[in-house]
Amino acid sequence: PWAALTRYNGMLYGTGAGNCGRYGDGTVFAVNPSTAALRIVHGFSETAGDGANPHGGLCVLGGLLYGVTSAGGAHGAGTIFSLDPKTGGERVVHSFNGANEGADPRGTLIAVHGVLYGTAKFGGAEPRLAGTVFSVTPGGDFRVLHQFHGADGANPYAGLTYVDGTLYGTTAGGGGPSNGGVVFAIDGATHAERTVHAFRAHDSGAIDGRLPYGGVTAYGGRLYGATCGGGKNGRGALYEIDRASGIERLLHSFTTQEGVCPRGGLVAYNGTLYGTAVHGGTDYAGTVFALTPSSGAFRVVRELGHHGAQGAEPYGGLVVFQNLLFGTTRAGGTHRSGVVFSIRP
């Protein structure tokens, strides 16, 4: 599993990408947080015209789960799918054409007023094919809202965040000479796009974040996020952005012991933001960390491990459920294929 879990009707739902499932093209699974019982809701089959490799998480709309696959579909460029969590019935809502619509979608969809919004990592406008932002209705009405060109960002990995009529997101590259990625905004009514902040770390020598693979979290009137690289130590950073002015402030630079490459996004709980770093810690297997926005205080909540039943490499973020933090790792565990874990904050 690469993505964060989704809460629905007392259960946690997630996706597994790669060589897994009945047909080897990925799964959607459900976990009971009380009993830890797991069941497979759907196994993807690219050869059957289905999607393949669902790297993103799931979104709930109208009693159905919606998600994306990074491959498969009618054109091999990925799909948007819907899934009935009760029956396991799955439907391909849209197949990406790999050209102007986009290709390789990896971010989790969000639902706003009955419409789904998301990003595609590749495809879009020539010559960069730097990705797209799109909308789709449950009935399959698909629209391209923006095509990235490089200067305004390139290659969005994460999903979007909706705040006060505006969609906010990140791209892992583009944004100027540093190619460090951007935080962007799209007007919900006009779909006009603007760059909120372009990360400067890399060749510029500025102490800033770089490579924001995760999205942004709205909290207290500001946007918060993490970058996989950059910061004072080159191990990643946590940042804060004022939505009105676009002014960015670096809140924390990671050390190897604290974590390396935080990329799953942040979640707010009781005045604290929690997240995961893919690597770092004593076993270099990743960490769970906490940041208090009001004071800037940072602490490592838990170090993960490659050995034993612990998970390793938490690519996805966390979700709050029943006063616990739940997450996934893509490696480690009894079968070395990742785990679902819970942490009491």
Side-chain angles (χ1 to χ4, degrees), residues 166-169 183-187 191-197 223:
T166 300
L167 296 165
Y168 293 93
V183 175
F184 65 86
I186 291 184
D187 187 280
H191 302 152
E193 188 261 3
R194 63 182 174 88
T195 298
V196 179
H197 176 74
L223 301 175

Side-chain angles (χ1 to χ4, degrees), residues 208-224:
D208 197 1
R210 183 172 180 261
L211 303 176
Y213 287 111
V216 293
T217 297
Y219 180 77
R222 298 177 183 272
L223 301 175
Y224 294 87

Side-chain angles (χ1 to χ4, degrees), residues 272-284:
T272 300
L273 298 172
Y274 293 89
T276 59
V278 177
H279 303 296
T282 302
D283 202 26
Y284 207 69

Side-chain angles (χ1 to χ4, degrees), residues 15 62 76 106 146 150 184 197 281 301:
T15 58
R106 293 181 176 235
H146 182 73
F184 65 86
H197 176 74
V301 177

